[in-house]
Amino acid sequence: MTMNINSPPPLSILQWNSRSLNRSKLTEFKLKLRLHDPSIVLLSEPHWLDEFEASFSCYDCFRRNRNAYGGGVAILAKSSLSPVLFPLSHFLTIEAIAIKLSPLNHPPLIV
């Protein structure tokens, strides 16, 4: 694939079943984020509770917690992609979350 010098950089996506992204694993995860620098991160089973706050430099975090027995889902997206929560009203009974991105020089994208 050839890229024009004026082409926007490609979007990269990392999907990870984190199986409990607690405080000790969070430090290691943040280091991997800096190393790989994905545009979007899809997390399953972070096991976060509503009162747990996780912040990520350069990323907006969207999440749906289960609040009991693990589970949950989250999406991290680079703030520069202008992410906003996208409603999934037809998925009320399953753990699902979606965002809409409006990256510069790219068409809008729903993840």
Side-chain angles (χ1 to χ4, degrees):
M1 174 174 85
T2 59
M3 287 184 56
N4 180 323
I5 195 156
N6 295 323
S7 296
L11 297 176
S12 58
I13 299 175
L14 170 69
Q15 190 281 324
W16 185 39
N17 182 339
S18 59
R19 287 180 264 141
S20 183
L21 195 52
N22 57 29
R23 292 190 195 284
S24 60
K25 284 186 177 179
L26 201 54
T27 301
E28 180 182 348
F29 176 70
K30 287 181 179 185
L31 289 172
K32 290 183 188 286
L33 273 183
R34 280 191 222 116
L35 176 66
H36 297 289
D37 196 33
S39 308
I40 304 160
V41 180
L42 309 174
L43 293 173
S44 58
E45 299 188 42
H47 296 198
W48 291 337
L49 301 175
D50 287 343
E51 57 271 4
F52 179 71
E53 283 297 319
S55 63
F56 301 90
S57 180
C58 302
Y59 289 91
D60 291 344
C61 180
F62 302 87
R63 61 197 211 175
R64 182 167 179 185
N65 300 329
R66 186 184 295 175
N67 283 318
Y69 309 112
V73 291
I75 299 176
L76 308 178
K78 290 274 189 167
S79 300
S80 61
L81 299 175
S82 304
V84 294
L85 192 60
F86 185 81
L88 292 176
S89 57
H90 51 287
F91 287 113
L92 294 177
T93 58
I94 65 170
E95 291 178 339
I97 192 167
I99 60 172
K100 181 179 180 180
L101 305 172
S102 299
L104 289 175
N105 302 317
H106 283 288
L109 175 67
I110 296 172
V111 178

